[in-house]
Amino acid sequence: MTKVAIVYYSATGHGTSMAEKLAEAAEAAGAEVRLRHIAETVPPEQFASNPAWTANYQATKDLPAATGDDLVWADAVIFGAPTRFSSPASQFQAFIDTLGGLWAEGKLANRVYAAFTSSQTAHGGQETTLIKMHQMVMHFGGIIVTPGYTDPLKFVDGNPYGVGKVTGPQNQNDMDQATADALEHMAKRVVEIADKLA
């Protein structure tokens, strides 16, 4: 059974719902899944005025947080982070920065990797964020599996680099069907390619 780790950071909950959809789809494709959030590094009092951020923090703070061991365990890893000024959020980067020892030992190499993100606007840096996550994986010696345009549904969501969700200026957008379909397709593709490599 292919082992898939979904390792993500989410502030206002969009990444959490995307990660949960990926986990569901990967399990349906026959994988064993670890769903792991990246622990919040911002003190809760600093986002107390943001109801969505506070709600997501409260909902996930007691769940298992991601560690490097989750990547070592996995045959495939799906990373997720919101975009911040065209890059993954700093909380995601801080997690990546803890992996230096595993990288030096070659323990992050030869795994399948894919990525997802979100931004408030359609052109808010999703593609550059996904590419930057792929660049990190290149340093690991990972095998990047993008969804590409491997299914007609990708011409609907339009993102060959991974999956991106537009959250809206007030983070009000629920997950639409095109995003849900794209997440399901990417999870299945990750499991399929990881199975073939195994």
Side-chain angles (χ1 to χ4, degrees), residues 92-122:
F92 179 84
Q93 182 65 57
F95 171 75
I96 294 294
D97 288 347
T98 69
L99 302 176
L102 295 174
W103 163 79
E105 295 172 22
K107 292 184 176 179
L108 305 178
N110 305 324
R111 284 162 177 72
V112 165
Y113 290 87
F116 66 98
T117 190
S118 61
S119 61
Q120 289 189 350
T121 61

PDB file of all heavy atoms in Angstrom, residues 92-122:
ATOM      1  N   PHE A  92       5.315  27.572   6.477  1.00  0.00           N
ATOM      2  CA  PHE A  92       5.726  26.441   5.646  1.00  0.00           C
ATOM      3  C   PHE A  92       7.243  26.441   5.460  1.00  0.00           C
ATOM      4  O   PHE A  92       7.904  25.415   5.605  1.00  0.00           O
ATOM      5  CB  PHE A  92       5.018  26.502   4.291  1.00  0.00           C
ATOM      6  CG  PHE A  92       5.409  25.391   3.352  1.00  0.00           C
ATOM      7  CD1 PHE A  92       4.796  24.157   3.431  1.00  0.00           C
ATOM      8  CD2 PHE A  92       6.393  25.584   2.393  1.00  0.00           C
ATOM      9  CE1 PHE A  92       5.157  23.124   2.577  1.00  0.00           C
ATOM     10  CE2 PHE A  92       6.764  24.565   1.534  1.00  0.00           C
ATOM     11  CZ  PHE A  92       6.142  23.326   1.624  1.00  0.00           C
ATOM     12  N   GLN A  93       7.787  27.601   5.156  1.00  0.00           N
ATOM     13  CA  GLN A  93       9.237  27.711   4.965  1.00  0.00           C
ATOM     14  C   GLN A  93       9.980  27.324   6.237  1.00  0.00           C
ATOM     15  O   GLN A  93      11.020  26.647   6.183  1.00  0.00           O
ATOM     16  CB  GLN A  93       9.618  29.129   4.544  1.00  0.00           C
ATOM     17  CG  GLN A  93      11.099  29.308   4.270  1.00  0.00           C
ATOM     18  CD  GLN A  93      11.592  28.495   3.087  1.00  0.00           C
ATOM     19  OE1 GLN A  93      11.072  28.656   1.987  1.00  0.00           O
ATOM     20  NE2 GLN A  93      12.575  27.624   3.303  1.00  0.00           N
ATOM     21  N   ALA A  94       9.455  27.736   7.395  1.00  0.00           N
ATOM     22  CA  ALA A  94      10.108  27.389   8.659  1.00  0.00           C
ATOM     23  C   ALA A  94      10.137  25.877   8.857  1.00  0.00           C
ATOM     24  O   ALA A  94      11.128  25.317   9.343  1.00  0.00           O
ATOM     25  CB  ALA A  94       9.397  28.068   9.819  1.00  0.00           C
ATOM     26  N   PHE A  95       9.063  25.202   8.450  1.00  0.00           N
ATOM     27  CA  PHE A  95       9.049  23.739   8.540  1.00  0.00           C
ATOM     28  C   PHE A  95      10.103  23.142   7.611  1.00  0.00           C
ATOM     29  O   PHE A  95      10.860  22.248   8.014  1.00  0.00           O
ATOM     30  CB  PHE A  95       7.665  23.195   8.195  1.00  0.00           C
ATOM     31  CG  PHE A  95       7.635  21.696   8.068  1.00  0.00           C
ATOM     32  CD1 PHE A  95       7.671  20.895   9.191  1.00  0.00           C
ATOM     33  CD2 PHE A  95       7.607  21.090   6.820  1.00  0.00           C
ATOM     34  CE1 PHE A  95       7.671  19.505   9.087  1.00  0.00           C
ATOM     35  CE2 PHE A  95       7.607  19.711   6.695  1.00  0.00           C
ATOM     36  CZ  PHE A  95       7.630  18.913   7.830  1.00  0.00           C
ATOM     37  N   ILE A  96      10.160  23.613   6.383  1.00  0.00           N
ATOM     38  CA  ILE A  96      11.155  23.112   5.425  1.00  0.00           C
ATOM     39  C   ILE A  96      12.568  23.296   5.993  1.00  0.00           C
ATOM     40  O   ILE A  96      13.436  22.429   5.843  1.00  0.00           O
ATOM     41  CB  ILE A  96      11.013  23.822   4.062  1.00  0.00           C
ATOM     42  CG1 ILE A  96       9.671  23.468   3.403  1.00  0.00           C
ATOM     43  CG2 ILE A  96      12.178  23.481   3.137  1.00  0.00           C
ATOM     44  CD1 ILE A  96       9.508  22.020   2.998  1.00  0.00           C
ATOM     45  N   ASP A  97      12.780  24.408   6.674  1.00  0.00           N
ATOM     46  CA  ASP A  97      14.111  24.691   7.223  1.00  0.00           C
ATOM     47  C   ASP A  97      14.514  23.717   8.322  1.00  0.00           C
ATOM     48  O   ASP A  97      15.698  23.621   8.662  1.00  0.00           O
ATOM     49  CB  ASP A  97      14.172  26.130   7.752  1.00  0.00           C
ATOM     50  CG  ASP A  97      14.174  27.160   6.639  1.00  0.00           C
ATOM     51  OD1 ASP A  97      14.370  26.775   5.474  1.00  0.00           O
ATOM     52  OD2 ASP A  97      13.968  28.354   6.940  1.00  0.00           O
ATOM     53  N   THR A  98      13.566  22.960   8.879  1.00  0.00           N
ATOM     54  CA  THR A  98      13.900  21.963   9.903  1.00  0.00           C
ATOM     55  C   THR A  98      14.369  20.649   9.285  1.00  0.00           C
ATOM     56  O   THR A  98      14.787  19.743  10.024  1.00  0.00           O
ATOM     57  CB  THR A  98      12.687  21.653  10.805  1.00  0.00           C
ATOM     58  OG1 THR A  98      11.684  20.937  10.051  1.00  0.00           O
ATOM     59  CG2 THR A  98      12.099  22.920  11.413  1.00  0.00           C
ATOM     60  N   LEU A  99      14.303  20.534   7.961  1.00  0.00           N
ATOM     61  CA  LEU A  99      14.558  19.253   7.299  1.00  0.00           C
ATOM     62  C   LEU A  99      16.006  19.082   6.841  1.00  0.00           C
ATOM     63  O   LEU A  99      16.321  18.092   6.178  1.00  0.00           O
ATOM     64  CB  LEU A  99      13.620  19.097   6.097  1.00  0.00           C
ATOM     65  CG  LEU A  99      12.119  19.176   6.397  1.00  0.00           C
ATOM     66  CD1 LEU A  99      11.323  19.097   5.100  1.00  0.00           C
ATOM     67  CD2 LEU A  99      11.691  18.088   7.372  1.00  0.00           C
ATOM     68  N   GLY A 100      16.872  20.031   7.189  1.00  0.00           N
ATOM     69  CA  GLY A 100      18.243  19.982   6.693  1.00  0.00           C
ATOM     70  C   GLY A 100      18.978  18.690   7.008  1.00  0.00           C
ATOM     71  O   GLY A 100      19.694  18.150   6.170  1.00  0.00           O
ATOM     72  N   GLY A 101      18.790  18.171   8.210  1.00  0.00           N
ATOM     73  CA  GLY A 101      19.470  16.942   8.577  1.00  0.00           C
ATOM     74  C   GLY A 101      19.016  15.759   7.743  1.00  0.00           C
ATOM     75  O   GLY A 101      19.836  14.963   7.268  1.00  0.00           O
ATOM     76  N   LEU A 102      17.711  15.645   7.540  1.00  0.00           N
ATOM     77  CA  LEU A 102      17.173  14.553   6.713  1.00  0.00           C
ATOM     78  C   LEU A 102      17.621  14.699   5.270  1.00  0.00           C
ATOM     79  O   LEU A 102      17.942  13.709   4.604  1.00  0.00           O
ATOM     80  CB  LEU A 102      15.646  14.540   6.801  1.00  0.00           C
ATOM     81  CG  LEU A 102      15.057  14.213   8.168  1.00  0.00           C
ATOM     82  CD1 LEU A 102      13.548  14.375   8.151  1.00  0.00           C
ATOM     83  CD2 LEU A 102      15.446  12.799   8.597  1.00  0.00           C
ATOM     84  N   TRP A 103      17.640  15.938   4.778  1.00  0.00           N
ATOM     85  CA  TRP A 103      18.124  16.189   3.419  1.00  0.00           C
ATOM     86  C   TRP A 103      19.578  15.751   3.282  1.00  0.00           C
ATOM     87  O   TRP A 103      19.950  15.076   2.311  1.00  0.00           O
ATOM     88  CB  TRP A 103      17.978  17.676   3.087  1.00  0.00           C
ATOM     89  CG  TRP A 103      18.805  18.100   1.913  1.00  0.00           C
ATOM     90  CD1 TRP A 103      18.511  17.902   0.590  1.00  0.00           C
ATOM     91  CD2 TRP A 103      20.073  18.757   1.955  1.00  0.00           C
ATOM     92  NE1 TRP A 103      19.530  18.408  -0.194  1.00  0.00           N
ATOM     93  CE2 TRP A 103      20.496  18.933   0.616  1.00  0.00           C
ATOM     94  CE3 TRP A 103      20.887  19.214   2.980  1.00  0.00           C
ATOM     95  CZ2 TRP A 103      21.705  19.558   0.299  1.00  0.00           C
ATOM     96  CZ3 TRP A 103      22.088  19.825   2.662  1.00  0.00           C
ATOM     97  CH2 TRP A 103      22.477  19.998   1.329  1.00  0.00           C
ATOM     98  N   ALA A 104      20.408  16.113   4.261  1.00  0.00           N
ATOM     99  CA  ALA A 104      21.832  15.781   4.200  1.00  0.00           C
ATOM    100  C   ALA A 104      22.066  14.272   4.205  1.00  0.00           C
ATOM    101  O   ALA A 104      23.036  13.784   3.631  1.00  0.00           O
ATOM    102  CB  ALA A 104      22.570  16.430   5.373  1.00  0.00           C
ATOM    103  N   GLU A 105      21.157  13.538   4.833  1.00  0.00           N
ATOM    104  CA  GLU A 105      21.269  12.082   4.884  1.00  0.00           C
ATOM    105  C   GLU A 105      20.622  11.408   3.676  1.00  0.00           C
ATOM    106  O   GLU A 105      20.636  10.180   3.579  1.00  0.00           O
ATOM    107  CB  GLU A 105      20.623  11.566   6.169  1.00  0.00           C
ATOM    108  CG  GLU A 105      21.330  12.014   7.438  1.00  0.00           C
ATOM    109  CD  GLU A 105      20.551  11.640   8.691  1.00  0.00           C
ATOM    110  OE1 GLU A 105      19.725  10.702   8.628  1.00  0.00           O
ATOM    111  OE2 GLU A 105      20.765  12.285   9.726  1.00  0.00           O
ATOM    112  N   GLY A 106      20.045  12.198   2.779  1.00  0.00           N
ATOM    113  CA  GLY A 106      19.398  11.641   1.595  1.00  0.00           C
ATOM    114  C   GLY A 106      18.049  11.007   1.861  1.00  0.00           C
ATOM    115  O   GLY A 106      17.513  10.287   1.009  1.00  0.00           O
ATOM    116  N   LYS A 107      17.455  11.297   3.018  1.00  0.00           N
ATOM    117  CA  LYS A 107      16.217  10.628   3.401  1.00  0.00           C
ATOM    118  C   LYS A 107      14.956  11.245   2.796  1.00  0.00           C
ATOM    119  O   LYS A 107      13.857  10.732   3.000  1.00  0.00           O
ATOM    120  CB  LYS A 107      16.099  10.588   4.923  1.00  0.00           C
ATOM    121  CG  LYS A 107      17.137   9.680   5.565  1.00  0.00           C
ATOM    122  CD  LYS A 107      16.943   9.569   7.053  1.00  0.00           C
ATOM    123  CE  LYS A 107      17.943   8.583   7.657  1.00  0.00           C
ATOM    124  NZ  LYS A 107      17.791   8.482   9.125  1.00  0.00           N
ATOM    125  N   LEU A 108      15.112  12.348   2.064  1.00  0.00           N
ATOM    126  CA  LEU A 108      13.955  12.982   1.426  1.00  0.00           C
ATOM    127  C   LEU A 108      13.922  12.725  -0.080  1.00  0.00           C
ATOM    128  O   LEU A 108      13.005  13.165  -0.762  1.00  0.00           O
ATOM    129  CB  LEU A 108      13.971  14.487   1.702  1.00  0.00           C
ATOM    130  CG  LEU A 108      14.037  14.894   3.176  1.00  0.00           C
ATOM    131  CD1 LEU A 108      14.084  16.406   3.302  1.00  0.00           C
ATOM    132  CD2 LEU A 108      12.866  14.311   3.956  1.00  0.00           C
ATOM    133  N   ALA A 109      14.920  12.020  -0.574  1.00  0.00           N
ATOM    134  CA  ALA A 109      15.046  11.778  -2.016  1.00  0.00           C
ATOM    135  C   ALA A 109      14.142  10.637  -2.464  1.00  0.00           C
ATOM    136  O   ALA A 109      13.644   9.850  -1.654  1.00  0.00           O
ATOM    137  CB  ALA A 109      16.495  11.450  -2.358  1.00  0.00           C
ATOM    138  N   ASN A 110      13.946  10.588  -3.784  1.00  0.00           N
ATOM    139  CA  ASN A 110      13.306   9.445  -4.436  1.00  0.00           C
ATOM    140  C   ASN A 110      11.872   9.211  -3.996  1.00  0.00           C
ATOM    141  O   ASN A 110      11.384   8.084  -4.000  1.00  0.00           O
ATOM    142  CB  ASN A 110      14.135   8.174  -4.243  1.00  0.00           C
ATOM    143  CG  ASN A 110      15.561   8.360  -4.720  1.00  0.00           C
ATOM    144  OD1 ASN A 110      15.811   9.051  -5.704  1.00  0.00           O
ATOM    145  ND2 ASN A 110      16.506   7.761  -4.010  1.00  0.00           N
ATOM    146  N   ARG A 111      11.197  10.271  -3.601  1.00  0.00           N
ATOM    147  CA  ARG A 111       9.777  10.210  -3.295  1.00  0.00           C
ATOM    148  C   ARG A 111       9.027  11.065  -4.306  1.00  0.00           C
ATOM    149  O   ARG A 111       9.579  11.994  -4.874  1.00  0.00           O
ATOM    150  CB  ARG A 111       9.504  10.765  -1.890  1.00  0.00           C
ATOM    151  CG  ARG A 111       9.885   9.833  -0.786  1.00  0.00           C
ATOM    152  CD  ARG A 111      10.015  10.545   0.538  1.00  0.00           C
ATOM    153  NE  ARG A 111      10.309   9.590   1.588  1.00  0.00           N
ATOM    154  CZ  ARG A 111      11.478   8.969   1.727  1.00  0.00           C
ATOM    155  NH1 ARG A 111      12.467   9.217   0.894  1.00  0.00           N
ATOM    156  NH2 ARG A 111      11.664   8.094   2.700  1.00  0.00           N
ATOM    157  N   VAL A 112       7.762  10.748  -4.475  1.00  0.00           N
ATOM    158  CA  VAL A 112       6.893  11.582  -5.301  1.00  0.00           C
ATOM    159  C   VAL A 112       6.469  12.787  -4.462  1.00  0.00           C
ATOM    160  O   VAL A 112       6.146  12.657  -3.284  1.00  0.00           O
ATOM    161  CB  VAL A 112       5.661  10.778  -5.759  1.00  0.00           C
ATOM    162  CG1 VAL A 112       4.571  11.689  -6.290  1.00  0.00           C
ATOM    163  CG2 VAL A 112       6.067   9.755  -6.811  1.00  0.00           C
ATOM    164  N   TYR A 113       6.476  13.963  -5.090  1.00  0.00           N
ATOM    165  CA  TYR A 113       6.011  15.191  -4.427  1.00  0.00           C
ATOM    166  C   TYR A 113       5.044  15.941  -5.342  1.00  0.00           C
ATOM    167  O   TYR A 113       5.227  15.967  -6.565  1.00  0.00           O
ATOM    168  CB  TYR A 113       7.185  16.122  -4.105  1.00  0.00           C
ATOM    169  CG  TYR A 113       8.111  15.633  -3.022  1.00  0.00           C
ATOM    170  CD1 TYR A 113       9.178  14.786  -3.320  1.00  0.00           C
ATOM    171  CD2 TYR A 113       7.935  16.026  -1.695  1.00  0.00           C
ATOM    172  CE1 TYR A 113      10.050  14.346  -2.327  1.00  0.00           C
ATOM    173  CE2 TYR A 113       8.810  15.589  -0.697  1.00  0.00           C
ATOM    174  CZ  TYR A 113       9.860  14.753  -1.019  1.00  0.00           C
ATOM    175  OH  TYR A 113      10.719  14.320  -0.032  1.00  0.00           O
ATOM    176  N   ALA A 114       4.047  16.554  -4.745  1.00  0.00           N
ATOM    177  CA  ALA A 114       3.110  17.427  -5.451  1.00  0.00           C
ATOM    178  C   ALA A 114       2.754  18.563  -4.497  1.00  0.00           C
ATOM    179  O   ALA A 114       3.148  18.548  -3.322  1.00  0.00           O
ATOM    180  CB  ALA A 114       1.864  16.650  -5.883  1.00  0.00           C
ATOM    181  N   ALA A 115       2.007  19.554  -4.989  1.00  0.00           N
ATOM    182  CA  ALA A 115       1.759  20.730  -4.158  1.00  0.00           C
ATOM    183  C   ALA A 115       0.421  21.392  -4.474  1.00  0.00           C
ATOM    184  O   ALA A 115      -0.105  21.286  -5.583  1.00  0.00           O
ATOM    185  CB  ALA A 115       2.885  21.748  -4.340  1.00  0.00           C
ATOM    186  N   PHE A 116      -0.099  22.105  -3.451  1.00  0.00           N
ATOM    187  CA  PHE A 116      -1.316  22.907  -3.612  1.00  0.00           C
ATOM    188  C   PHE A 116      -1.170  24.202  -2.839  1.00  0.00           C
ATOM    189  O   PHE A 116      -0.334  24.320  -1.943  1.00  0.00           O
ATOM    190  CB  PHE A 116      -2.560  22.131  -3.171  1.00  0.00           C
ATOM    191  CG  PHE A 116      -2.636  21.807  -1.694  1.00  0.00           C
ATOM    192  CD1 PHE A 116      -3.373  22.599  -0.823  1.00  0.00           C
ATOM    193  CD2 PHE A 116      -1.983  20.693  -1.175  1.00  0.00           C
ATOM    194  CE1 PHE A 116      -3.464  22.288   0.533  1.00  0.00           C
ATOM    195  CE2 PHE A 116      -2.061  20.370   0.176  1.00  0.00           C
ATOM    196  CZ  PHE A 116      -2.803  21.177   1.032  1.00  0.00           C
ATOM    197  N   THR A 117      -1.981  25.183  -3.216  1.00  0.00           N
ATOM    198  CA  THR A 117      -1.880  26.498  -2.593  1.00  0.00           C
ATOM    199  C   THR A 117      -3.229  27.208  -2.660  1.00  0.00           C
ATOM    200  O   THR A 117      -4.197  26.709  -3.238  1.00  0.00           O
ATOM    201  CB  THR A 117      -0.777  27.346  -3.280  1.00  0.00           C
ATOM    202  OG1 THR A 117      -0.541  28.530  -2.501  1.00  0.00           O
ATOM    203  CG2 THR A 117      -1.175  27.738  -4.691  1.00  0.00           C
ATOM    204  N   SER A 118      -3.266  28.402  -2.091  1.00  0.00           N
ATOM    205  CA  SER A 118      -4.449  29.260  -2.189  1.00  0.00           C
ATOM    206  C   SER A 118      -4.000  30.714  -2.101  1.00  0.00           C
ATOM    207  O   SER A 118      -2.927  31.025  -1.578  1.00  0.00           O
ATOM    208  CB  SER A 118      -5.444  28.951  -1.063  1.00  0.00           C
ATOM    209  OG  SER A 118      -4.852  29.192   0.206  1.00  0.00           O
ATOM    210  N   SER A 119      -4.844  31.572  -2.634  1.00  0.00           N
ATOM    211  CA  SER A 119      -4.601  33.017  -2.563  1.00  0.00           C
ATOM    212  C   SER A 119      -5.942  33.726  -2.621  1.00  0.00           C
ATOM    213  O   SER A 119      -6.944  33.148  -3.051  1.00  0.00           O
ATOM    214  CB  SER A 119      -3.704  33.485  -3.716  1.00  0.00           C
ATOM    215  OG  SER A 119      -4.330  33.229  -4.958  1.00  0.00           O
ATOM    216  N   GLN A 120      -5.961  34.989  -2.216  1.00  0.00           N
ATOM    217  CA  GLN A 120      -7.224  35.723  -2.210  1.00  0.00           C
ATOM    218  C   GLN A 120      -7.728  36.037  -3.614  1.00  0.00           C
ATOM    219  O   GLN A 120      -8.930  36.115  -3.830  1.00  0.00           O
ATOM    220  CB  GLN A 120      -7.086  37.016  -1.411  1.00  0.00           C
ATOM    221  CG  GLN A 120      -6.972  36.787   0.078  1.00  0.00           C
ATOM    222  CD  GLN A 120      -7.061  38.075   0.875  1.00  0.00           C
ATOM    223  OE1 GLN A 120      -7.023  39.172   0.323  1.00  0.00           O
ATOM    224  NE2 GLN A 120      -7.188  37.945   2.171  1.00  0.00           N
ATOM    225  N   THR A 121      -6.814  36.210  -4.559  1.00  0.00           N
ATOM    226  CA  THR A 121      -7.208  36.594  -5.916  1.00  0.00           C
ATOM    227  C   THR A 121      -6.676  35.589  -6.932  1.00  0.00           C
ATOM    228  O   THR A 121      -5.746  34.826  -6.655  1.00  0.00           O
ATOM    229  CB  THR A 121      -6.674  37.990  -6.269  1.00  0.00           C
ATOM    230  OG1 THR A 121      -5.242  37.965  -6.195  1.00  0.00           O
ATOM    231  CG2 THR A 121      -7.203  39.053  -5.317  1.00  0.00           C
ATOM    232  N   ALA A 122      -7.252  35.630  -8.120  1.00  0.00           N
ATOM    233  CA  ALA A 122      -6.902  34.661  -9.162  1.00  0.00           C
ATOM    234  C   ALA A 122      -5.448  34.790  -9.599  1.00  0.00           C
ATOM    235  O   ALA A 122      -4.846  33.818 -10.033  1.00  0.00           O
ATOM    236  CB  ALA A 122      -7.829  34.831 -10.356  1.00  0.00           C
TER     237      ALA A 122
END
